[in-house]
């Protein structure tokens, strides 16, 4: 992946205290893949932000504020959270019509590792705590990051008793069931888990702590099965010790996908696991030569870790296309207007300026029919609707001493026509 320079969002925000987000919407049916040896160009359209006006249609707006989260409904309503000084704002943009600016009450300054929309219009943000924001902008804390004392958080059946964890991922299925990816913050033991919320109740879905003296190396079958599970492996029987890059979730019709560090597994409806990105033979994965070009089998690939030391690598599913997308921190990239991964379709001077000032981010990969392909480089977060992919990127140019100097925008990336 030569030609891209490195500086991840999470390291950059540690240094600068914030970032500007661009969310990207991906449409379908624009063109077809000609061959794996002839990668397609990456076409994008601005739909929210990237402009130079305070009022107007979505693509004409200049949206300022530090990125806080990105979520999308199945029917392509986009929610973008940004901090303006000490005020959190939620931008809502339907596929047609003007963008709405909604001031959020009760929400502190956050940057969500994952964000999800429930069928009732509520938005959940995984930001160490789990937040819920109503369509009108009222925020409440569902799960609070607090110490446990002597309590065992894994034995909790009530959300009010759930403690000693940090929330790293969230997803909502079509029935409105909320799943959270969480990690114990007390020792012993370290580990990543998945819980299901039902009203005021909470239930463990996946993961277990390591037993006293138990190895947390890949040679331990309980650890290995958390990355490349054998047939029939129960989700509650695996140990996931890699807390630096695990915890992202994505609900699908056949279960919930779970980033377990170097791999991604699917939690089936019967409580067993299937391998998805399994790290079997990473050396067989070829270097990407452009968007959508197949580089090998997903079962051979390994999710790469960056140097930011933060969990929450994104994970999302496009149900109508049976495609899974995930972000890979192995190398950091910037959006570019030239080269094989160039962003085509950027038209106005303000749009070009925004992309030229964008900072580094992850490479998004797609898995379809078991095959792995790169899609877009230089993103901070991803989300999907029933037929589209959204990503977030961040600028790092200009005077960024306060949140109002950061800009936000939303684009559409055209996906290949599905055969």
């Amino acid at each position: 992946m030569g030609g891209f320079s490195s500086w991840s969002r999470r390291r950059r925000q540690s240094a600068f205290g914030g970032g500007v987000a661009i969310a990207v919407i991906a449409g379908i049916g624009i063109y077809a893949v000609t061959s794996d040896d002839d990668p397609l160009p990456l076409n994008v359209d601005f739909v929210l932000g990237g402009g130079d006006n305070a009022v107007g249609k979505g693509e004409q707006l200049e949206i300022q504020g530090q990125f806080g989260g990105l979520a999308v409904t199945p029917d392509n309503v986009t929610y973008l959270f940004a901090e303006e000084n000490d005020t959190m704002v939620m931008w809502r943009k339907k596929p047609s019509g003007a963008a709405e600016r909604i001031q959020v009450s009760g929400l502190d300054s956050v940057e969500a590792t994952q964000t999800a929309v429930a069928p009732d219009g509520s938005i959940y943000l995984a930001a160490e705590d789990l937040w819920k924001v109503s369509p009108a902008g009222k925020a409440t804390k569902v799960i609070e990051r607090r110490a446990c004392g002597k309590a065992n958080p894994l034995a909790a059946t009530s959300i009010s008793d759930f403690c000693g964890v940090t929330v790293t991922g969230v997803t909502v299925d079509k029935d409105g069931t909320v799943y959270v990816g969480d990690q114990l913050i007390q020792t012993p033991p370290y580990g990543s888990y998945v819980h299901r919320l039902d009203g005021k109740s909470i239930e463990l879905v996946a993961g277990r702590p390591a037993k006293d003296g138990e190895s947390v190396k890949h040679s331990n079958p309980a650890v290995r099965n958390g990355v490349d599970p054998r047939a029939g492996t129960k989700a509650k029987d695996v140990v996931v010790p890699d807390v630096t890059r695990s915890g992202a979730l994505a609900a699908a019709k056949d279960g919930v996908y779970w980033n377990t560090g170097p791999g991604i597994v699917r939690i089936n409806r019967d409580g067993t696991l299937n391998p998805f990105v399994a790290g079997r033979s990473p050396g067989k994965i070829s270097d990407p030569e452009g968007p959508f070009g197949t580089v090998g089998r997903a079962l051979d690939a390994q999710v790469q870790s960056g140097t930011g030391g933060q969990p929450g690598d994104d994970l999302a599913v496009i149900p109508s296309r049976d495609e899974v997308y995930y972000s890979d921190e192995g190398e950091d990239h910037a959006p570019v207007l030239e080269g094989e991964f160039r962003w085509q379709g950027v038209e106005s001077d303000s749009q070009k300026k925004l992309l030229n000032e964008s900072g580094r981010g992850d490479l998004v990969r797609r898995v379809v029919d078991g095959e792995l392909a790169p899609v877009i480089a230089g993103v901070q977060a991803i989300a999907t609707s029933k037929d589209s992919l959204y990503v977030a990127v961040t600028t790092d140019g200009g005077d960024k001493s306060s949140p109002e100097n950061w800009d936000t925008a939303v684009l559409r990336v055209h996906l290949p026509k599905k055969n």
Side-chain angles (χ1 to χ4, degrees):
M1 291 295 297
F4 293 110
S5 54
S6 300
W7 199 5
S8 75
R9 167 188 58 149
R10 299 172 182 103
R11 293 199 304 278
R12 183 176 58 258
Q13 289 188 332
S14 175
F16 291 110
V20 179
I22 302 170
V24 178
I25 302 176
I28 64 173
I30 306 302
Y31 41 70
V33 176
T34 54
S35 74
D36 289 343
D37 297 326
D38 184 21
L40 296 168
L42 186 70
N43 289 296
V44 300
D45 299 317
F46 277 79
V47 297
L48 176 61
D52 53 11
N53 296 320
V55 295
K57 294 183 178 180
E59 71 277 10
Q60 298 170 343
L61 293 172
E62 180 185 14
I63 297 177
Q64 296 180 327
Q66 179 181 334
F67 173 66
L70 170 68
V72 185
T73 68
D75 56 350
N76 292 292
V77 179
T78 305
Y79 291 85
L80 182 65
F81 290 83
E83 181 192 358
E84 300 176 358
N85 291 322
D86 295 325
T87 301
M88 186 62 68
V89 172
M90 177 175 69
W91 289 90
R92 180 167 55 211
K93 177 66 172 66
K94 296 180 180 180
S96 61
E100 301 174 81
R101 179 186 178 277
I102 302 167
Q103 186 169 324
V104 180
S105 63
L107 181 61
D108 299 330
S109 173
V110 301
E111 182 193 358
T113 51
Q114 270 197 308
T115 311
V117 186
D120 66 359
S122 300
I123 303 95
Y124 290 86
L125 295 92
E128 295 190 341
D129 302 310
L130 179 67
W131 291 89
K132 180 180 180 181
V133 179
S134 74
K138 180 179 174 61
T140 55
K141 194 178 290 186
V142 180
I143 295 175
E144 184 176 4
R145 189 176 187 265
R146 58 188 176 86
C148 274
K150 295 182 179 180
N152 177 8
L154 298 181
T157 58
S158 169
I159 292 178
S160 61
D161 295 331
F162 194 51
C163 56
V165 302
T166 181
V167 177
T168 56
V170 63
T171 190
V172 183
D173 69 15
K174 64 179 182 179
D175 297 325
T177 302
V178 179
Y179 295 84
V180 295
D182 52 84
Q183 300 172 355
L184 291 184
I185 57 177
Q186 295 179 315
T187 57
Y190 287 118
S192 286
Y193 307 89
V194 179
H195 284 82
R196 179 191 297 114
L197 308 187
D198 183 8
K200 296 182 179 180
S201 300
I202 190 165
E203 178 187 0
L204 178 66
V205 173
R208 70 165 176 83
K211 301 173 184 177
D212 290 343
E214 183 179 11
S215 171
V216 293
K217 295 182 179 180
H218 191 72
S219 56
N220 177 359
V223 175
R224 185 173 61 251
N225 282 337
V227 178
D228 186 10
R230 296 179 182 274
T233 296
K234 295 183 181 301
K236 293 182 182 180
D237 288 344
V238 299
V239 176
V240 179
D242 191 345
V243 296
T244 62
R245 51 177 166 165
S246 60
L249 303 174
K253 62 184 179 181
D254 48 4
V256 175
Y257 291 87
W258 177 27
N259 185 325
T260 57
I264 296 171
V265 298
R266 189 181 71 225
I267 306 171
N268 301 313
R269 300 298 181 188
D270 64 358
T272 61
L273 297 179
N274 275 10
F276 195 72
V277 176
R280 292 178 182 175
S281 300
K284 293 182 179 180
I285 302 300
S286 59
D287 292 332
E289 297 180 352
F292 310 112
T294 299
V295 295
R297 295 193 315 156
L299 290 176
D300 289 329
Q302 177 174 300
V303 180
Q304 300 297 313
S305 62
T307 57
Q310 294 293 329
D313 290 306
D314 278 317
L315 185 60
V317 176
I318 298 182
S320 68
R321 297 171 61 98
D322 292 324
E323 297 175 353
V324 177
Y325 293 81
Y326 70 92
S327 59
D328 196 319
E329 280 194 323
E331 295 182 35
D332 299 324
H333 316 288
V336 292
L337 298 175
E338 299 178 352
E340 291 177 325
F341 277 86
R342 63 191 180 277
W343 292 30
Q344 298 186 141
V346 179
E347 298 178 351
S348 72
D349 290 341
S350 61
Q351 293 170 355
K352 293 177 182 178
K353 180 176 183 295
L354 194 150
L355 285 189
N356 282 329
E357 292 181 353
S358 291
R360 281 61 174 163
D362 300 337
L363 173 67
V364 174
R365 299 182 186 271
R366 178 185 70 173
V367 180
V368 57
D369 296 330
E371 297 295 322
L372 183 71
V375 176
I376 185 171
V379 309
Q380 308 299 315
I382 63 176
T384 53
S385 68
K386 64 181 179 182
D387 56 14
S388 301
L389 168 70
Y390 298 71
V391 307
V393 302
T394 303
T395 63
D396 63 1
D399 178 12
K400 307 302 181 187
S401 58
S402 57
E404 69 268 19
N405 292 324
W406 298 88
D407 297 326
T408 355
V410 176
L411 302 86
R412 179 168 60 210
V413 175
H414 303 288
L415 298 179
K417 184 176 180 181
K418 187 170 178 61
N419 294 329

